[in-house]
Amino acid sequence: MTPALAIEATALTKRYDDATAVDDLDLAIPEGTVYGFLGPNGAGKTTTMQMLTTLTRPTSGTASVAGRPIADREAVVPHIGYLPEEPPLFEELTGREQLQYVAGLRDLPKREAAARIDELFDRFDLADAAEKRIGAYSKGMKQKAGIIQAILHEPEVVFLDEPTSGLDPRAARTVRETIAHLAAEETTVFLSTHILPVVDELADTVGVLSNGSLVTEGSPDALKRRAETGEHRTLEDVFLEVTSEVDYPEGEVA
Amino acid sequence: MSREPAGLDGRTRRTFPRVSNSVRIARVELVRQWRRTRDQRAVQLVALAFVVLFLLVFTVAAGGGAYFAGLAVARGRLSAPLTGAQYVAATAAVFVFFVTAFRTLSQNGRIDHADGMLTTVPHRDVVGGLLLRESAVLFGMAGPPAVAAAVGFAVGSGSPLALVLVLLAALDVLVTSLLAGFVVGLAVKNLLARSAFVARHRVALGALVFLTYMWLVVSNTLGTVVQPLVATFRASPLAWEADLALFGVVGSAAASRAVASVVTTFVVAPVLVALAVWLAGLLWYADPAEGGTTSTRSDSATSGLGLGVAGAFDGLVARPTAQVAVKSWLRARRAPIKLAFVAYPLFVLIQPISETVQTGRVSPVLPPMLAFYGAWATGAAFTLNPLGDEGAVLPTTLTTGVSGRQFVGGLQLAGVVAGAPATAALTFVAALLSPLSLVEAVGMTVAAAVLCVGATGVAVGVGTAFPRFDAARITRSREAVVPSLIGFGVYSVAMGLVGLPGLATQVSAVVDALARIANVAPAAVSLGGIVLTTVVLGLVAWPSVRYAARTFERYEL
């Protein structure tokens, strides 16, 4: 029996005026997968994530996340966590206040939420900064707080937009371990990043988006194997090759 | 880059800005400013059009005034033309000096992307660029009236030479006072940046300065502060500019003083530029004083308080609603600058407060004004930009599953719990001290509380319809997301229309007139006004809240 799909998209398309951000995108991502979503700047990765997280309505096409249609925000959002490229945090609040705020919005049981916040602060080495204002956090600390916020409610599908960018090696490792940990717990992780070693290490499946279309998809190993020659390539070679012939028209939207 | 040597130590090559770079910087800054203005919504362009219109009127007035002054001078009908010209020069100088000092202090004493600029050109070139930009703005505003005045005076007095001399004198006055204002602005900025005490108590000190200023205005004593300044300017070499402007037209204008005025500008201006370069170097390379904006101290105590406050709503409202309210309070308390815009319309209170101060009696218009302003502020504080206020957090807020009603209700709660009691209390006390009767006082207090609640409802819908997401520069180069100008306007007009019957019918004169016309008891008129406002408020606020909640739930990025 094939496992159920965590993310399923059919002919997903998003157009802005005359620019096409995402063009006829099909996705079928099984539960528990770590999906590495690659693509050059402006390829449409963020737009895809915003559609899948119900934040942007597609121009045409359909998709469902955790079995719920993305047109139904109320049904989808309890099951997803989203970390946009800019961590969604209030600089004036402390880390703990921020997480309590979001836990309150989600109406998570108080005691359990408090315990989970403590546990996540410990795991991400942020316990000392819990009572400090986010405005005083370093970039890495903000990124970690954003990840905690995205996984606080133990969602089934987590969307992470560049979660390791700007992190020092230790913080980046914590994030990688967290993704591995989530995958081990059968959480589906939709991971958009430019940092290819992260994808190489963690992803079960890699999809490369270029100019709004999926140009290649497969496991990292399969992509790296070149069938004709047997020559071994890096993921970087694959990325450069499949995205090389693309001309970007002006006004392309990310 | 190492700190530049400054001061007039003979190395003038290293003291003064390079003209080419300064021009380049000023040009880019002006282009950016123009494009920002052009890209704004229509309302900002309308505001700009008003400025241009005002400028035109002022130019015509300056030209006409100067023409008649020239006519009068030429016919010997002015008793002390030199003194008059000195007053004109001194007033213009004081005005330009203060405006420039304030602009420098609040935002123009720095450049955007300072790190990049200061690692590209010497900081003196940046100073030169900022000064040229200020000059361009100043000459754009003051140039046309000055030219019109020069032409008018030359024609009126029949002296072609006056055209050149008046322009030269105006140039002297503007340049000197602009440079002096820039230097003083930078000096004060240095004090602020270096004093830990000031950094820590900035908000309180700012409020003190503001209140002092307001007090000078309402108690009508601002003039007594400005007059000595004008007198000082008149006693300075600046007064010689009058001799320059009137030379050849007025017999008492001395050639020696006219020449001295030009020489003085040529001596003073470079000194002021050097001072500005030196002060800017101190400021831009200074370590910020402790206790500034990015507090690193622990907030556990306040966080505990926040939770305590959230607990106060337990069982009364849903938890997400309470959380939204508490979050709004915490953010406002930690960054009060976000609410600074609420103080903008305080000027409507100047007249009644000033009357109260000067007569020692509370004016009967003060209580309704307080009620109205309090309600306006209650609605504006947390509810006038519900979506934009969330900033980068908006994607998370939208995907937490919090309902639109809960989100909007939380914002309303934040405003009402803080604003309604304060507004009602202030209104009641003012009404008791005023000639209004007790019944009127109670009626107005009720109206104030109702208005506060309704205001948040009106505001939340208007703010949702006209959101603003980009940060606006408020002051001291601080940025915050404030409501859009259209939102401000629509909300204020709506509140004015809705609140009018309830507040107007609390004033005896209005009540008596209406009672006579309708042939009913005055109390019935007062009550009717409150009922009418309440009903209309409900009719406006209810759909407004529903619209805001629905829009939030369906909102797309």
Side-chain angles (χ1 to χ4, degrees):
Chain A
M1 185 187 115
T2 52
L5 294 176
I7 300 172
E8 188 176 16
T10 312
L12 209 56
T13 301
K14 181 70 185 182
R15 276 187 216 96
Y16 296 99
D17 297 328
D18 48 355
T20 301
V22 176
D23 193 10
D24 208 20
L25 178 68
D26 292 325
L27 290 171
I29 302 172
E31 281 175 6
T33 306
V34 175
Y35 190 86
F37 198 43
L38 305 181
N41 298 321
K45 300 191 298 296
T46 299
T47 305
T48 304
M49 287 198 144
Q50 287 185 341
M51 285 193 285
L52 293 176
T53 51
T54 77
L55 290 167
T56 296
R57 200 173 289 269
T59 313
S60 62
T62 56
S64 65
V65 173
R68 281 88 178 171
I70 56 166
D72 187 354
R73 178 179 290 169
E74 217 178 311
V76 172
V77 295
H79 307 282
I80 61 168
Y82 177 35
L83 175 70
E85 208 168 345
E86 186 188 352
L89 307 165
F90 289 121
E91 304 241 305
E92 304 85 10
L93 300 188
T94 67
R96 187 183 301 282
E97 285 166 351
Q98 170 77 37
L99 294 171
Q100 279 168 338
Y101 170 56
V102 171
L105 291 183
R106 292 191 181 279
D107 215 357
L108 304 178
K110 262 186 192 170
R111 211 176 296 266
E112 289 163 42
R116 178 142 170 91
I117 289 170
D118 279 333
E119 176 211 321
L120 289 169
F121 270 141
D122 278 339
R123 193 203 295 173
F124 280 86
D125 214 10
L126 267 185
D128 290 341
E131 320 301 342
K132 288 202 173 85
R133 288 197 203 168
I134 291 166
Y137 279 18
S138 69
K139 188 172 181 183
M141 290 158 83
K142 286 181 186 167
Q143 197 72 8
K144 290 200 272 187
I147 293 174
I148 295 176
Q149 180 168 283
I151 63 173
L152 187 61
H153 52 298
E154 305 187 60
E156 290 160 49
V157 185
V158 180
F159 294 86
L160 304 174
D161 201 345
E162 294 291 354
T164 52
S165 77
L167 297 188
D168 63 46
R170 188 183 304 279
R173 174 182 282 183
T174 309
V175 171
R176 290 201 306 274
E177 285 169 358
T178 303
I179 294 171
H181 186 77
L182 288 169
E185 287 173 345
E186 288 301 292
T187 305
T188 308
V189 181
F190 192 86
L191 175 68
S192 162
T193 180
H194 283 128
I195 303 175
L196 298 175
V198 173
V199 178
D200 210 352
E201 177 188 335
L202 292 169
D204 302 306
T205 309
V206 174
V208 183
L209 195 70
S210 185
N211 222 6
S213 303
L214 206 57
V215 287
T216 192
E217 193 178 44
S219 74
D221 285 338
L223 292 184
K224 286 188 286 190
R225 244 179 282 121
R226 180 177 279 184
E228 316 87 89
T229 62
E231 180 194 345
H232 189 76
R233 305 181 302 172
T234 64
L235 210 48
E236 184 177 296
D237 296 330
V238 177
F239 180 89
L240 293 176
E241 186 189 302
V242 297
T243 59
S244 64
E245 284 149 41
V246 180
D247 281 332
Y248 284 94
E250 288 212 14
E252 184 72 13
V253 184
Chain B
M1 192 181 77
S2 65
R3 187 173 294 177
E4 292 298 321
L8 288 173
D9 54 3
R11 292 183 292 175
T12 46
R13 197 170 52 83
R14 297 178 59 84
T15 305
F16 292 104
R18 244 177 81 187
V19 176
S20 58
N21 271 346
S22 302
V23 169
R24 212 168 275 135
I25 291 169
R27 195 169 53 210
V28 168
E29 289 298 304
L30 286 168
V31 165
R32 288 180 57 214
Q33 198 172 341
W34 165 241
R35 289 192 186 156
R36 264 204 307 268
T37 312
R38 197 186 51 188
D39 294 344
Q40 295 292 337
R41 294 164 184 250
V43 188
Q44 265 101 344
L45 287 178
V46 171
L48 194 68
F50 270 108
V51 171
V52 172
L53 188 70
F54 178 76
L55 201 62
L56 275 176
V57 172
F58 196 63
T59 302
V60 170
Y67 170 76
F68 288 114
L71 218 56
V73 168
R75 293 176 185 172
R77 277 202 236 119
L78 275 188
S79 54
L82 268 184
T83 313
Q86 283 172 5
Y87 266 110
V88 173
T91 310
V94 169
F95 183 72
V96 171
F97 170 80
F98 270 107
V99 168
T100 310
F102 181 75
R103 276 168 62 90
T104 307
L105 184 60
S106 60
Q107 47 175 303
N108 293 351
R110 60 183 277 279
I111 192 155
D112 288 339
H113 306 298
D115 293 352
M117 292 303 295
L118 296 178
T119 49
T120 308
V121 293
H123 85 271
R124 55 178 185 271
D125 292 3
V126 176
V127 173
L130 292 180
L131 276 172
L132 280 184
R133 178 186 65 183
E134 285 300 291
S135 308
V137 173
L138 177 64
F139 288 125
M141 303 294 268
V147 171
V151 171
F153 189 77
V155 172
S157 63
S159 158
L161 182 65
L163 176 68
V164 180
L165 293 183
V166 170
L167 273 182
L168 193 58
L171 190 69
D172 274 358
V173 171
L174 293 181
V175 166
T176 313
S177 45
L178 177 123
L179 287 172
F182 192 75
V183 166
V184 169
L186 282 181
V188 176
K189 231 172 144 74
N190 259 307
L191 277 182
L192 295 179
R194 277 152 195 282
S195 157
F197 175 81
V198 173
R200 209 170 299 126
H201 303 285
R202 195 182 38 225
V203 174
L205 289 173
L208 192 68
V209 169
F210 180 73
L211 288 177
T212 310
Y213 172 74
M214 291 305 279
W215 180 256
L216 289 175
V217 172
V218 300
S219 60
N220 228 347
T221 43
L222 189 63
T224 56
V225 177
V226 174
Q227 266 155 20
L229 282 171
V230 172
T232 311
F233 269 78
R234 276 190 62 213
S236 76
L238 213 69
W240 300 338
E241 301 295 347
D243 292 90
L244 177 63
L246 300 182
F247 184 73
V249 178
V250 174
S252 55
S256 55
R257 287 198 297 263
V259 171
S261 73
V262 179
V263 173
T264 307
T265 304
F266 270 94
V267 174
V268 169
V271 174
L272 287 174
V273 171
L275 266 175
V277 168
W278 177 64
L279 285 168
L282 287 184
L283 179 68
W284 293 340
Y285 298 109
D287 295 328
E290 286 293 316
T293 50
T294 48
S295 161
T296 48
R297 67 176 187 272
S298 166
D299 275 308
S300 52
T302 48
S303 125
L305 180 66
L307 291 175
V309 176
F313 299 125
D314 272 356
L316 293 174
V317 296
R319 178 145 155 262
T321 308
Q323 282 289 351
V324 171
V326 170
K327 169 240 24 172
S328 294
W329 282 341
L330 283 177
R331 291 185 71 202
R333 202 179 58 205
R334 307 259 172 85
I337 194 85
K338 281 186 197 305
L339 294 185
F341 68 90
V342 172
Y344 289 174
L346 262 176
F347 68 87
V348 299
L349 293 176
I350 289 178
Q351 205 280 327
I353 292 182
S354 132
E355 194 185 322
T356 301
V357 169
Q358 279 162 34
T359 61
R361 276 193 302 273
V362 174
S363 150
V365 274
L366 185 61
M369 288 281 216
L370 277 176
F372 183 72
Y373 170 73
W376 183 93
T378 301
F382 299 112
T383 30
L384 199 44
N385 192 18
L387 297 167
D389 246 356
E390 291 293 291
V393 185
L394 187 59
T396 295
T397 317
L398 292 173
T399 55
T400 51
V402 62
S403 76
R405 203 57 73 77
Q406 289 171 331
F407 177 72
V408 168
L411 295 177
Q412 288 185 273
L413 191 66
V416 167
V417 170
T423 304
L426 273 176
T427 307
F428 188 63
V429 170
L432 279 186
L433 296 174
S434 77
L436 298 171
S437 71
L438 183 64
V439 176
E440 284 171 320
V442 171
M444 204 166 302
T445 306
V446 172
V450 171
L451 266 179
C452 283
V453 178
T456 62
V458 175
V460 82
V462 174
T464 303
F466 305 104
R468 174 171 182 161
F469 294 97
D470 51 331
R473 199 174 275 179
I474 304 221
T475 178
R476 282 184 48 78
S477 66
R478 300 277 305 277
E479 295 211 331
V481 178
V482 297
S484 77
L485 214 53
I486 294 188
F488 251 117
V490 173
Y491 167 66
S492 301
V493 170
M495 281 301 292
L497 292 176
V498 169
L500 195 63
L503 292 173
T505 52
Q506 307 309 311
V507 180
S508 303
V510 180
V511 172
D512 291 344
L514 286 175
R516 229 173 307 133
I517 294 167
N519 199 18
V520 290
V525 173
S526 299
L527 188 66
I530 293 181
V531 170
L532 183 62
T533 278
T534 311
V535 170
V536 175
L537 197 59
L539 287 178
V540 176
W542 182 245
S544 170
V545 168
R546 286 189 46 155
Y547 164 77
R550 212 173 42 233
T551 306
F552 174 84
E553 280 172 10
R554 296 179 188 169
Y555 196 77
E556 291 181 39
L557 296 183

